[in-house]
Amino acid sequence: TAENIIFVGDSAGANLITAVLIKCIEAGIPQPKGILTVYGLFLSNYATIPSRMLGLCDIFLTYSMTLRIFKTYAGHFKERLSKKEGKVPMALHDEFDDEISKSHLLSPIWSPDEVLRQFPKIRMLTTNLDPLLDENIEMAKKLRSRNVDVQLDIQHGLVHGFLHIIRVSNIPRIEFNIN
């Protein structure tokens, strides 16, 4: 019956499910009962954030990989904006940069308050060694300040992408009661 749907995504997948949730809210269509993000990407730009420096020693989400991801995200978004407005994108850093860096679909942390207030229950999991740690903390704070039922768990000693390398782990079980 699709009455009890939960979105789950890690890293860029967390960004994707959050963008889908935002589109559901904006379109006024039924949204999931909750979402679970794991080391989510909530700020898709070149911002110098302290935890991003962890990418200098992370085995999965290296600093150069992060820059390539942002360039790819921004490039696709810029191409769509260009077609919509009849313009041809010239370089990565041109007049579209402001729209790209503030797009709440690429960077859910910039979502309008009226959208954030409608978020369902959200559970977030990240690690203290993740280059995306700071934006996970900020997203949780922002949601909490808008009275969203949010819980952020920070695991210690694990790297970004740990779900893909650890088959059996001591990660606590995440309870998600949608009622």
Side-chain angles (χ1 to χ4, degrees):
T1 62
E3 291 174 9
N4 295 314
I5 294 176
I6 298 173
F7 288 172
V8 178
D10 71 316
S11 195
N15 180 279
L16 179 63
I17 64 167
T18 307
V20 170
L21 169 65
I22 291 167
K23 290 296 278 183
C24 289
I25 292 169
E26 291 176 342
I29 61 175
Q31 57 180 308
K33 296 284 185 181
I35 65 174
L36 169 63
T37 66
V38 182
Y39 37 77
L41 173 65
F42 298 107
L43 185 61
S44 300
N45 67 21
Y46 300 99
T48 306
I49 300 170
S51 68
R52 294 252 173 103
M53 294 302 109
L54 291 168
L56 295 172
C57 58
D58 192 283
I59 59 173
F60 286 113
L61 191 60
T62 63
Y63 189 73
S64 62
M65 173 74 79
T66 302
L67 293 178
R68 276 186 268 151
I69 290 169
F70 295 154
K71 184 175 181 180
T72 301
Y73 268 43
H76 290 301
F77 188 72
K78 186 180 294 187
E79 187 176 316
R80 286 183 54 215
L81 277 176
S82 299
K83 287 178 182 174
K84 185 169 106 179
E85 300 189 10
K87 297 178 182 177
V88 177
M90 302 307 287
L92 182 59
H93 302 289
D94 65 13
E95 74 230 36
F96 293 111
D97 280 350
D98 286 339
E99 287 184 74
I100 291 167
S101 65
K102 293 293 184 181
S103 165
H104 65 284
L105 294 176
L106 288 177
S107 297
I109 204 161
W110 297 122
S111 296
D113 286 347
E114 60 271 10
V115 170
L116 292 174
R117 285 187 187 97
Q118 296 179 59
F119 268 46
K121 183 183 295 190
I122 180 169
R123 299 297 177 255
M124 302 169 74
L125 176 65
T126 191
T127 78
N128 68 322
L129 300 176
D130 196 305
L132 306 178
L133 172 64
D134 292 341
E135 62 200 77
N136 278 262
I137 292 170
E138 287 306 310
M139 186 69 171
K141 283 182 185 178
K142 198 166 190 176
L143 290 168
R144 192 170 290 126
S145 72
R146 275 107 184 135
N147 298 316
V148 173
D149 180 356
V150 61
Q151 179 181 325
L152 172 65
D153 290 317
I154 301 173
Q155 296 297 302
H156 293 274
L158 297 169
V159 296
H160 184 90
F162 71 86
L163 288 180
H164 301 279
I165 58 173
I166 300 176
R167 298 247 185 237
V168 179
S169 67
N170 61 354
I171 300 167
R173 183 179 168 147
I174 298 172
E175 297 292 331
F176 206 118
N177 183 352
I178 56 176
N179 296 325

